[in-house]
Amino acid sequence: MRTVIVTGGIGSGKSAVCALLRKRGIPVYDSDSRVKELYKSRRNLVPRLEKALGCPLRQADGTLDKARLSALIFSDEAARETLESIVYPILLKDFQLWRGRQEAPFVVLESAIILSKPIFDGLADAVVLVDAPRELRIRRVMERDGVSPQQVQQRLEAQDLPLEKVNVTLSNSGSEEELSQAVDRVFFDKNSYLYKLLED
């Protein structure tokens, strides 16, 4: 089963691209959503993180305190690396099991950060970067999350995409119709670079 990673910085519109792919029958594994599910379904995962990080991470009802965890990993690089060393092997195995159950020409793994994590090297047959002008991305995130331009700038600067791993860039700077046409052109046109790459 061929695997395409769809990635992009915050506000680029990679989720919109993946939604269009789902409509066209392509299975999409949303790594962010799946990690949240793993925190809930793997009963020993959060206690294991608490032990490794040396601090409580659960709320009074026993569920993960996402705000506390986010604050910790964004302020402490060692803590982030510890968390990734525990969570990413579980995520990788979960994806591989999911991929083995799919029936499609290819599957898509949606992630903003996966390209910079060595544990996932070699997983993809191709990488598609969804991109848009910086000003447009800032405006999208401000409207979506209700945050200031400065907060969006901080998030943008925190993301580091290894562009040398990208095979195709898909522009998302126009209308929804233009994006839909771009998805068809990049993923399903038999003359496209990506199509030929997946056929090899």
Side-chain angles (χ1 to χ4, degrees):
M1 176 66 70
R2 299 283 188 164
T3 299
V4 179
I5 289 178
V6 172
T7 191
I10 187 169
S12 62
K14 62 185 176 302
S15 294
V17 168
C18 287
L20 290 168
L21 289 169
R22 285 190 183 96
K23 286 182 180 179
R24 289 154 173 77
I26 301 301
V28 176
Y29 184 97
D30 180 348
S31 59
D32 288 346
S33 297
R34 192 57 196 152
V35 164
K36 292 172 186 174
E37 287 300 316
L38 290 172
Y39 283 134
K40 295 176 185 176
S41 62
R42 301 288 181 104
R43 292 184 179 181
N44 68 331
L45 181 52
V46 176
R48 187 178 166 193
L49 290 174
E50 288 177 324
K51 184 176 181 181
L53 296 171
C55 62
L57 295 172
R58 283 174 282 186
Q59 303 179 96
D61 63 359
T63 59
L64 176 68
D65 188 332
K66 296 173 187 173
R68 182 180 296 176
L69 181 61
S70 294
L72 177 65
I73 62 174
F74 278 116
S75 62
D76 186 334
E77 186 175 347
R80 178 174 53 76
E81 290 176 355
T82 297
L83 177 136
E84 291 176 355
S85 71
I86 294 171
V87 174
Y88 284 174
I90 296 172
L91 181 67
L92 176 58
K93 185 175 181 181
D94 184 72
F95 169 75
Q96 290 169 330
L97 290 171
W98 171 88
R99 181 175 60 182
R101 297 192 297 267
Q102 307 309 313
E103 293 184 10
F106 59 91
V107 298
V108 165
L109 172 56
E110 177 187 352
S111 175
I113 60 170
I114 220 164
L115 290 186
S116 61
K117 308 302 175 183
I119 188 174
F120 298 102
D121 284 352
L123 185 65
D125 296 286
V127 176
V128 175
L129 172 70
V130 183
D131 199 16
R134 189 179 184 90
E135 297 76 17
L136 178 57
R137 292 168 59 194
I138 290 172
R139 188 165 71 248
R140 284 173 178 166
V141 178
M142 288 172 60
E143 293 172 356
R144 184 190 71 194
D145 298 346
V147 293
S148 69
Q150 292 75 21
Q151 288 172 303
V152 183
Q153 290 279 10
Q154 287 178 336
R155 296 189 199 177
L156 287 172
E157 289 165 9
Q159 291 186 324
D160 181 27
L161 291 169
L163 298 180
E164 69 276 4
K165 296 182 180 180
V166 172
N167 299 110
V168 178
T169 298
L170 193 159
S171 174
N172 180 25
S173 57
S175 66
E176 291 182 15
E177 179 59 30
E178 287 172 323
L179 180 62
S180 180
Q181 291 171 359
V183 166
D184 285 336
R185 188 167 57 250
V186 167
F187 285 89
F188 302 106
D189 186 328
K190 292 184 178 181
N191 294 314
S192 75
Y193 176 70
L194 180 65
Y195 193 97
K196 292 177 179 177
L197 196 62
L198 296 176
E199 286 288 292
D200 288 345

